[in-house]
Amino acid sequence: ALACARNAVDNRPAIDLAMSDNNIPVLEDYLARFECTVESTHEAGDHRILMGRVIDFTKAPEHVMPLTFFRGQLGTFEHNVQV
């Protein structure tokens, strides 16, 4: 998660990508993945907003836990345990 949150493109660590059945580069590790084609782009100051059309959706197996970010820290959810 933090690999994509950096300002300097040249300093980003390598991210594992694969090619989907739709020939789109996708993340190897994911909780949910939306594959899209670009429908339009919009200039917004020093940003460009891409509008996409979803062509495929894949979700991770049920046992994969989501990543959380709270007060500057990464974490995961924990199941409630009866004591």
Side-chain angles (χ1 to χ4, degrees):
L2 294 177
C4 295
R6 307 233 189 275
N7 289 330
V9 173
D10 294 337
N11 294 330
R12 289 188 184 164
I15 298 173
D16 293 331
L17 295 175
M19 294 304 285
S20 73
D21 292 341
N22 297 307
N23 202 34
I24 296 173
V26 293
L27 294 172
E28 293 247 336
D29 296 319
Y30 61 91
L31 185 61
R33 179 168 64 201
F34 294 86
E35 295 180 49
C36 304
T37 57
V38 176
E39 289 292 307
S40 62
T41 62
H42 305 276
E43 297 297 324
D46 61 349
H47 289 72
R48 183 177 298 156
I49 301 169
L50 303 174
M51 301 300 291
R53 178 179 303 273
V54 176
I55 59 172
D56 203 359
F57 169 77
T58 309
K59 68 176 188 152
E62 296 295 327
H63 69 276
V64 176
M65 296 297 292
L67 182 66
T68 63
F69 188 77
F70 180 66
R71 294 187 178 167
Q73 299 292 315
L74 294 172
T76 60
F77 290 107
E78 294 182 22
H79 294 287
N80 289 335
V81 177
Q82 298 288 333
V83 179

